[in-house]
Coordinates of all heavy atoms in Angstrom, one line a residue:
K97 N 15.0 -5.5 25.7 CA 13.6 -5.2 25.3 C 12.6 -6.0 26.2 O 13.0 -6.9 26.8 CB 13.4 -5.7 23.8 CG 14.1 -4.9 22.8 CD 13.7 -5.3 21.4 CE 14.8 -5.2 20.4 NZ 15.2 -6.4 19.7
S98 N 11.4 -5.5 26.2 CA 10.3 -6.2 26.9 C 9.9 -7.5 26.2 O 9.9 -7.5 25.0 CB 9.1 -5.3 27.0 OG 9.3 -4.4 28.0
F99 N 9.5 -8.4 26.9 CA 8.9 -9.7 26.3 C 7.5 -9.9 26.8 O 7.3 -9.8 28.0 CB 9.8 -10.9 26.7 CG 9.4 -12.2 26.1 CD1 9.7 -12.5 24.8 CD2 8.7 -13.1 26.8 CE1 9.3 -13.7 24.2 CE2 8.3 -14.3 26.3 CZ 8.6 -14.6 25.0
R100 N 6.6 -10.1 25.9 CA 5.2 -10.3 26.3 C 4.6 -11.6 25.7 O 4.8 -11.8 24.5 CB 4.4 -9.1 25.9 CG 3.0 -9.2 26.4 CD 2.2 -7.9 26.1 NE 0.8 -8.1 26.5 CZ -0.1 -7.3 26.3 NH1 0.1 -6.2 25.6 NH2 -1.4 -7.6 26.6
N101 N 3.9 -12.4 26.5 CA 3.2 -13.5 25.9 C 2.2 -14.0 26.9 O 2.1 -13.5 28.0 CB 4.1 -14.6 25.4 CG 4.9 -15.3 26.6 OD1 4.9 -14.7 27.7 ND2 5.4 -16.4 26.3
V102 N 1.5 -15.1 26.6 CA 0.6 -15.7 27.5 C 1.2 -16.9 28.1 O 1.8 -17.8 27.4 CB -0.8 -16.0 26.8 CG1 -1.6 -16.8 27.8 CG2 -1.5 -14.8 26.4
V103 N 1.2 -17.0 29.5 CA 1.9 -18.2 30.1 C 0.8 -18.9 31.0 O -0.2 -18.3 31.4 CB 3.1 -17.8 31.0 CG1 4.3 -17.3 30.2 CG2 2.7 -16.7 32.0
V104 N 1.1 -20.2 31.2 CA 0.3 -20.9 32.2 C 1.2 -21.3 33.3 O 2.2 -21.9 33.1 CB -0.5 -22.0 31.5 CG1 0.4 -22.9 30.6 CG2 -1.2 -22.9 32.5
N105 N 0.8 -20.9 34.5 CA 1.6 -21.1 35.7 C 0.8 -21.9 36.7 O -0.4 -22.1 36.6 CB 2.1 -19.8 36.3 CG 3.2 -19.2 35.5 OD1 4.0 -19.9 34.9 ND2 3.2 -17.8 35.4
R106 N 1.5 -22.3 37.8 CA 0.8 -23.1 38.8 C 0.9 -22.4 40.2 O 1.9 -21.9 40.6 CB 1.6 -24.5 39.0 CG 0.7 -25.5 39.6 CD 1.5 -26.9 39.6 NE 1.6 -27.5 38.3 CZ 0.7 -28.2 37.7 NH1 -0.5 -28.3 38.2 NH2 0.9 -28.7 36.5
K107 N -0.3 -22.3 40.8 CA -0.4 -21.7 42.2 C 0.1 -22.7 43.2 O 0.4 -23.8 42.9 CB -1.9 -21.4 42.5 CG -2.6 -20.5 41.6 CD -4.0 -20.2 42.0 CE -4.7 -19.4 41.0 NZ -6.0 -18.9 41.5
K108 N 0.3 -22.1 44.4 CA 0.8 -23.0 45.5 C -0.1 -24.2 45.7 O 0.4 -25.3 46.0 CB 0.8 -22.1 46.8 CG 1.5 -22.8 47.9 CD 1.6 -21.9 49.2 CE 2.1 -22.7 50.3 NZ 2.0 -21.9 51.6
N109 N -1.4 -24.1 45.5 CA -2.3 -25.2 45.8 C -2.4 -26.2 44.5 O -3.2 -27.1 44.5 CB -3.7 -24.7 46.1 CG -4.4 -24.0 45.0 OD1 -3.8 -23.9 43.9 ND2 -5.5 -23.4 45.2
G110 N -1.5 -25.9 43.5 CA -1.5 -26.8 42.4 C -2.3 -26.4 41.2 O -2.2 -26.9 40.1
E111 N -3.3 -25.5 41.5 CA -4.2 -25.0 40.4 C -3.4 -24.3 39.3 O -2.4 -23.6 39.6 CB -5.2 -24.0 41.0 CG -6.6 -24.5 41.1 CD -7.4 -23.4 41.7 OE1 -7.4 -22.3 41.3 OE2 -8.1 -23.8 42.7
L112 N -3.8 -24.4 38.1 CA -3.2 -23.7 37.0 C -3.8 -22.3 36.8 O -5.0 -22.2 37.1 CB -3.3 -24.4 35.7 CG -2.5 -25.8 35.6 CD1 -2.8 -26.4 34.2 CD2 -1.0 -25.6 35.7
F113 N -3.1 -21.3 36.4 CA -3.7 -20.1 36.0 C -3.0 -19.5 34.8 O -1.8 -19.8 34.5 CB -3.6 -19.0 37.2 CG -2.2 -18.5 37.5 CD1 -1.7 -17.4 36.9 CD2 -1.4 -19.2 38.5 CE1 -0.4 -16.9 37.3 CE2 -0.2 -18.7 38.8 CZ 0.3 -17.6 38.2
Y114 N -3.8 -18.8 34.0 CA -3.3 -18.2 32.7 C -3.0 -16.8 33.0 O -3.7 -16.1 33.7 CB -4.3 -18.3 31.6 CG -4.4 -19.7 31.1 CD1 -5.3 -20.6 31.7 CD2 -3.7 -20.2 30.0 CE1 -5.5 -21.9 31.2 CE2 -3.8 -21.5 29.5 CZ -4.7 -22.3 30.1 OH -4.9 -23.6 29.7
A115 N -1.8 -16.3 32.5 CA -1.5 -14.9 32.7 C -1.0 -14.3 31.4 O -0.2 -14.9 30.7 CB -0.4 -14.8 33.8
D116 N -1.4 -13.0 31.2 CA -0.8 -12.2 30.2 C 0.5 -11.6 30.8 O 0.4 -10.9 31.8 CB -1.8 -11.1 29.8 CG -1.3 -10.2 28.7 OD1 -0.1 -10.2 28.4 OD2 -2.1 -9.4 28.2
H117 N 1.6 -12.1 30.4 CA 2.9 -11.9 31.1 C 3.8 -11.0 30.3 O 4.0 -11.1 29.2 CB 3.5 -13.3 31.2 CG 4.9 -13.4 31.5 ND1 5.4 -13.3 32.8 CD2 6.0 -13.6 30.7 CE1 6.7 -13.5 32.7 NE2 7.1 -13.7 31.5
T118 N 4.3 -9.9 31.1 CA 5.2 -9.0 30.5 C 6.4 -9.0 31.4 O 6.3 -8.8 32.6 CB 4.7 -7.6 30.3 OG1 3.4 -7.7 29.7 CG2 5.6 -6.7 29.5
I119 N 7.6 -9.1 30.8 CA 8.8 -8.9 31.6 C 9.7 -7.9 30.9 O 9.9 -7.9 29.7 CB 9.5 -10.3 31.9 CG1 10.7 -10.1 32.8 CG2 9.9 -11.0 30.7 CD1 10.9 -11.3 33.7
T120 N 10.1 -6.9 31.8 CA 10.9 -5.8 31.2 C 12.2 -5.6 32.0 O 12.2 -5.6 33.2 CB 10.0 -4.5 31.4 OG1 8.7 -4.7 30.8 CG2 10.7 -3.3 30.7
P121 N 13.3 -5.4 31.3 CA 14.5 -5.1 32.0 C 14.6 -3.7 32.5 O 14.1 -2.8 31.8 CB 15.6 -5.4 30.9 CG 14.9 -5.3 29.6 CD 13.4 -5.5 29.8
I122 N 15.2 -3.5 33.6 CA 15.4 -2.2 34.2 C 16.9 -1.9 34.1 O 17.8 -2.7 34.4 CB 15.0 -2.1 35.6 CG1 13.5 -2.4 35.7 CG2 15.3 -0.7 36.2 CD1 12.9 -2.2 37.0
K123 N 17.2 -0.7 33.5 CA 18.6 -0.4 33.3 C 19.1 0.7 34.2 O 18.4 1.6 34.6 CB 18.8 0.1 31.8 CG 18.5 -1.0 30.8 CD 18.7 -0.5 29.5 CE 18.2 -1.5 28.4 NZ 17.9 -0.9 27.2
N124 N 20.4 0.6 34.5 CA 21.1 1.6 35.2 C 21.4 2.9 34.4 O 21.1 2.8 33.1 CB 22.5 1.0 35.5 CG 22.9 1.3 37.0 OD1 22.4 2.3 37.5 ND2 23.7 0.4 37.5
T125 N 21.8 3.9 35.0 CA 22.1 5.1 34.1 C 23.2 4.8 33.1 O 23.2 5.5 32.1 CB 22.6 6.3 35.0 OG1 23.4 5.8 36.0 CG2 21.4 7.0 35.7
D126 N 24.1 3.9 33.4 CA 25.1 3.5 32.4 C 24.6 2.5 31.3 O 25.3 2.1 30.5 CB 26.4 3.0 33.1 CG 26.1 1.7 33.8 OD1 24.9 1.2 33.7 OD2 27.1 1.1 34.3

Side-chain angles (χ1 to χ4, degrees):
K97 291 188 212 123
S98 279
F99 182 80
R100 184 173 175 192
N101 68 341
V102 171
V103 288
V104 48
N105 285 327
R106 202 178 288 284
K107 299 182 184 189
K108 190 178 171 185
N109 65 6
E111 250 175 55
L112 292 176
F113 68 93
Y114 287 87
D116 182 344
H117 160 82
T118 310
I119 184 146
T120 308
I122 298 188
K123 291 180 194 163
N124 225 332
T125 41
D126 65 359

